[in-house]
Amino acid sequence: MTIFNTFEIKIALLGYVSVGKTTVLNALFRDKFSEVSARRTTAGINYFRCMSQGAVAPGEVDTGETWSPVSDGSTANAQEVLQEIVETNKVLREAKEIQEKWFNIELEAPFAKSREDTSIVVVEIPGLNEAGSKSIFSNYVNEHWTDFDCVVLVMDSRQGVNTEEQVKLLRMVKTNLSKKEVPVIILFNKVDEPDDEEQAELLSEARAKISEVFQVGDRSKALEETLKNPNMSPSDYPTSMYPVVIPISAIHAFFYRTASLLTFDEFRGKFDMSLIERIGREEMGRFKWKKLTEEEKYLAVYEAVREDESYEERLAATNFDKFLSTLSLAVGGNEVQTELLLRQLNLEIQHLSTKTASSEHVRSIYEKTRVLGKDMEALKGAVWAVYRLSRDDALGEYEDEYRPKGLLEAMTFLCNYFACIHGLDWQEEEKMIKHEARKLVRWQLGTIIKKQNLLEYDAFLGRGQQYQLCRGCRKPVANAKSWKSLSIHDWISIFESTLLMSCNQSFCESFGREKIVLSQLKDKFITFKSKTCRCKVCSSEGFDCSSCGRSMHQPDTCPTVMETWNVEFLDGSLTIKEGASAKNFVTIPALLSDEKHFGHLAWKCCKLIDAIEKKKSARSQGN
């Protein structure tokens, strides 16, 4: 059994409304997996993970990997998938937001050979010119382009490329290729009459326009030469092969590819009479055809398409065989897929950030690096480059504002990295993680000490603009994000929050000196502030409210400010009094585990250090 639990190669199927994208999809899968009708069909983005028969679907086996969301974690047949999509589309046609849905489908005959650890995912995207969609699907393609490994663009051959809208679509694809170079296969669908001269002229004009937009020559010769040599190594493929332009009849291809797999009863229930009429007249001639009963028509067409020796000929008439061969060249085979996966990996490493790098994500990159035999030093270097960049940004932000959000993101990144390498013997990385975690907290504590000292001297010299609340309009005068906007209550909250971890051994061992200084500063701060008042009522050093212009006491420095508490203990719960919460900018969550708690960073650091030390101890005992 094969478990597809490591890699995915994504093929994006896109185009405008009613060009036949869903019919192409169904022809590719050789069954009716998605909804087809004369009106708009696809309303959500559907991901089809293609699996060979006998493969194990994600969710059936605990692989230790994190999977993308799937309908139920098991494979689904065409009827089940179609029913779910039809029901979902009824809702999504009225929705304004994108919904993604995943399906594991089992194919009897995969359209491309895959590595044992790789599955191919076909992404069906609704019409990019969908009325009322406000370009959400075009934006989706632009934003997710780097997720795709191949793009199949479906266009209507009966329209050619003679409108600004169609040229805009081609230009969108061309522009996105600068983000990530991927094979582009352009299908001109609905070429149901290959000998039609007018249609042939439209196709010729379309090829010329595509060459102009993509600034390339005609690719047809390069494709023909490649297809003539099926044993050619991917490294020998012409670099000028893409974008490939292939005229097809998806409806005929769907019919022939699907019908050849069915019993007569299945065939009878699968295709409606309108399609049987269409195929039958082409197969038998209209005069002979119109003499048959409905049952005879079904039987005659079924017997015709079941002839094994004529299947390849019929498929070639639709040109779908050329599409299948080209798609296989683009995404199939060990050598091609390995190259695509390495490209994926390089992009993932490049786009790694503290906001996206969960432990699962980093672990996924590690697994891919290991399986593909890529140098681990590249991953380590990328991780630390991302971390240092985010850390430096966070420190700059913290210098300006008292909120430690950026520092918390950097600390979370370190925690996630340690979780990723927990099962690995990367001792040097563990040392670096511990060192950087301590450094983050030391920077936080040092900034508090520095800012408090500066504010104290500013206040003493009469230059400080401390937090104040107008008694008239009740609005803060100073900027609530500034260090200088903090009241005495805020400062006490900060001091006490950072000192809450002083009972922890790791904290004391790492930040003993900072703990002593903070304790001294807290005592000095309270003593200094409780004896000082500068306002227009008490002196000439007061402030006017920027909102209403009233003069007022500065509540954080008036002697009476500490007489009234802002909190109360009621019914077993500590709460901020009504109307008093505006006097404080620094919140006091009940638990250190709450990221809004000012002591959360130190708490997180100590847990990380304890985990690293525990692992180190277990390793020593094991030796």
Side-chain angles (χ1 to χ4, degrees):
M1 276 189 180
T2 302
I3 302 176
F4 295 94
N5 63 350
T6 305
F7 303 114
E8 290 176 343
I9 288 176
K10 293 187 177 71
I11 302 170
L13 184 62
L14 53 93
Y16 282 153
V17 174
S18 300
V19 295
K21 298 185 301 297
T22 300
T23 306
V24 170
L25 180 93
N26 291 337
L28 189 63
F29 294 162
R30 305 185 77 170
D31 209 333
K32 192 172 183 180
F33 278 86
S34 198
E35 186 179 10
V36 180
S37 85
R39 61 188 177 88
R40 175 166 74 104
T41 53
T42 309
I45 295 177
N46 298 317
Y47 287 77
F48 298 90
R49 183 183 285 112
C50 306
M51 307 174 70
S52 300
Q53 288 187 341
V56 179
E60 292 182 324
V61 172
D62 181 10
T63 63
E65 298 290 327
T66 300
W67 283 89
S68 304
V70 190
S71 295
D72 60 3
S74 60
T75 55
N77 61 37
Q79 185 176 353
E80 292 168 338
V81 172
L82 178 61
Q83 183 177 351
E84 185 168 345
I85 289 176
V86 170
E87 292 301 317
T88 302
N89 283 347
K90 292 177 183 178
V91 178
L92 293 184
R93 288 191 187 104
E94 305 302 323
K96 300 300 180 183
E97 296 181 355
I98 288 177
Q99 179 173 326
E100 299 173 321
K101 209 166 189 63
W102 283 73
F103 301 94
N104 293 326
I105 63 171
E106 191 173 70
L107 301 182
E108 182 175 332
F111 52 84
K113 293 181 179 179
S114 286
R115 293 166 50 115
E116 289 189 350
D117 54 7
T118 302
S119 54
I120 293 177
V121 177
V122 178
V123 188
E124 183 190 25
I125 300 171
L128 303 184
N129 62 339
E130 182 61 57
S133 67
K134 297 182 180 179
S135 302
I136 59 173
F137 296 117
S138 294
N139 293 338
Y140 182 91
V141 171
N142 292 332
E143 292 168 6
H144 289 76
W145 184 269
T146 55
D147 295 340
F148 306 141
D149 301 289
C150 177
V151 169
V152 177
L153 176 62
V154 184
M155 304 185 78
D156 191 332
S157 65
R158 299 171 302 181
Q159 299 174 2
V161 183
N162 50 22
T163 68
E164 187 58 37
E165 187 178 49
Q166 291 161 325
V167 173
K168 181 181 177 182
L169 176 60
L170 293 172
R171 285 175 178 161
M172 183 193 79
V173 172
K174 174 66 167 61
T175 299
N176 278 308
L177 286 172
S178 63
K179 303 175 188 175
K180 180 182 178 182
E181 192 79 27
V182 299
V184 175
I185 302 173
I186 302 175
L187 300 181
F188 275 95
N189 189 28
K190 304 182 182 181
V191 183
D192 303 332
E193 297 290 342
D195 298 328
D196 187 286
E197 293 184 4
E198 183 177 350
Q199 192 168 68
E201 182 65 25
L202 281 173
L203 281 171
S204 178
E205 292 174 359
R207 287 181 184 274
K209 193 64 181 179
I210 289 170
S211 295
E212 176 188 329
V213 170
F214 285 88
Q215 298 177 332
V216 296
D218 189 352
R219 303 314 215 199
S220 56
K221 290 183 179 179
L223 175 62
E224 293 294 340
E225 288 300 316
T226 305
L227 294 180
K228 285 179 183 177
N229 297 279
N231 297 321
M232 182 186 297
S233 171
S235 58
D236 296 327
Y237 292 167
T239 56
S240 59
M241 193 165 71
Y242 300 106
V244 168
V245 179
I246 305 175
I248 65 165
S249 173
I251 186 63
H252 285 74
F254 166 66
F255 181 82
Y256 291 127
R257 280 174 59 79
T258 304
S260 63
L261 301 176
L262 304 176
T263 65
F264 179 71
D265 288 339
E266 291 171 335
F267 177 85
R268 188 77 167 79
K270 179 73 67 175
F271 302 107
D272 57 39
M273 195 61 203
S274 61
L275 185 56
I276 295 298
E277 287 280 354
R278 181 175 176 177
I279 299 294
R281 283 194 296 270
E282 294 173 1
E283 289 283 342
M284 306 182 66
R286 60 177 182 169
F287 294 110
K288 183 178 180 181
W289 177 254
K290 67 179 181 180
K291 298 178 181 179
L292 302 178
T293 64
E294 180 175 308
E295 187 68 19
E296 289 173 336
K297 289 178 178 179
Y298 267 104
L299 185 59
V301 173
Y302 178 73
E303 289 177 346
V305 299
R306 288 292 293 177
E307 297 174 3
D308 292 338
E309 63 274 10
S310 61
Y311 170 75
E312 296 295 337
E313 182 182 350
R314 286 187 169 89
L315 190 62
T318 71
N319 235 15
F320 206 81
D321 61 334
K322 187 178 291 185
F323 167 54
L324 291 173
S325 298
T326 306
L327 190 60
S328 181
L329 288 175
V331 300
N334 185 78
E335 188 176 343
V336 169
Q337 291 191 346
T338 299
E339 180 61 34
L340 292 175
L341 295 173
L342 284 169
R343 196 179 304 174
Q344 283 182 18
L345 180 59
N346 290 333
L347 281 172
E348 278 195 85
I349 292 175
Q350 289 173 24
H351 296 160
L352 197 63
S353 73
T354 53
K355 294 182 180 179
T356 61
S358 64
S359 58
E360 292 83 4
H361 184 202
V362 179
R363 183 72 187 196
S364 172
I365 294 177
Y366 163 78
E367 288 294 338
K368 292 176 182 178
T369 303
R370 181 184 62 80
V371 173
L372 293 173
K374 192 175 175 65
D375 184 7
M376 286 294 174
E377 295 305 313
L379 173 59
K380 294 176 184 178
V383 167
W384 288 115
V386 168
Y387 168 75
R388 292 186 181 104
L389 184 63
S390 65
R391 178 200 65 191
D392 293 344
D393 289 343
L395 291 173
E397 178 185 329
Y398 195 61
E399 279 283 327
D400 298 330
E401 300 180 13
Y402 68 89
R403 296 176 182 174
K405 181 180 178 182
L407 295 178
L408 288 175
E409 288 180 354
M411 183 66 76
T412 299
F413 183 88
L414 293 175
C415 293
N416 287 339
Y417 188 36
F418 176 69
C420 165
I421 68 172
H422 189 270
L424 308 175
D425 191 23
W426 285 10
Q427 297 183 39
E428 289 302 316
E429 295 297 290
E430 293 171 11
K431 290 178 183 178
M432 182 67 74
I433 290 170
K434 186 164 65 172
H435 172 74
E436 289 294 336
R438 284 175 172 161
K439 191 182 289 188
L440 278 179
V441 177
R442 186 162 287 115
W443 272 321
Q444 181 196 31
L445 302 179
T447 302
I448 293 171
I449 293 169
K450 181 173 68 172
K451 292 292 182 181
Q452 199 284 315
N453 273 327
L454 290 174
L455 288 175
E456 182 174 321
Y457 289 125
D458 278 352
F460 181 76
L461 296 172
R463 294 197 300 262
Q465 185 184 6
Q466 297 294 310
Y467 160 87
Q468 51 187 317
L469 191 70
C470 178
R471 294 179 184 274
C473 64
R474 308 299 294 171
K475 293 181 179 179
V477 174
N479 178 8
K481 292 183 178 181
S482 168
W483 284 95
K484 292 186 177 184
S485 66
L486 299 177
S487 71
I488 186 173
H489 304 290
D490 293 322
W491 275 107
I492 292 173
S493 296
I494 290 172
F495 287 136
E496 294 292 356
S497 294
T498 53
L499 291 171
L500 273 178
M501 287 301 297
S502 60
C503 60
N504 179 276
Q505 180 179 347
S506 295
F507 183 89
C508 294
E509 290 175 351
S510 300
F511 314 109
R513 181 167 51 186
E514 286 82 2
K515 172 189 176 299
I516 294 171
V517 175
L518 283 169
S519 298
Q520 292 174 344
L521 280 177
K522 184 192 72 171
D523 294 337
K524 283 182 63 178
F525 185 89
I526 294 173
T527 302
F528 179 80
K529 291 295 181 181
S530 64
K531 294 180 179 178
T532 306
C533 179
R534 294 175 297 103
C535 61
K536 285 192 174 180
V537 177
C538 305
S539 69
S540 61
E541 296 290 339
F543 294 90
D544 291 334
C545 176
S546 58
S547 297
C548 66
R550 288 186 57 174
S551 300
M552 76 213 88
H553 283 284
Q554 189 171 323
D556 66 331
T557 57
C558 284
T560 58
V561 75
M562 294 301 290
E563 296 177 3
T564 304
W565 289 91
N566 292 337
V567 295
E568 62 184 355
F569 194 76
L570 185 64
D571 297 330
S573 177
L574 189 68
T575 58
I576 303 293
K577 286 183 179 178
E578 184 177 355
S581 60
K583 293 182 181 179
N584 294 85
F585 292 134
V586 176
T587 57
I588 314 173
L591 302 174
L592 273 166
S593 56
D594 190 323
E595 66 177 22
K596 293 181 181 178
H597 201 296
F598 224 87
H600 180 71
L601 188 73
W603 173 83
K604 207 172 180 70
C605 173
C606 290
K607 287 184 70 69
L608 177 58
I609 291 174
D610 290 343
I612 293 174
E613 291 300 320
K614 184 178 180 180
K615 181 182 176 183
K616 182 179 178 181
S617 176
R619 188 161 49 226
S620 299
Q621 292 176 5
N623 292 336

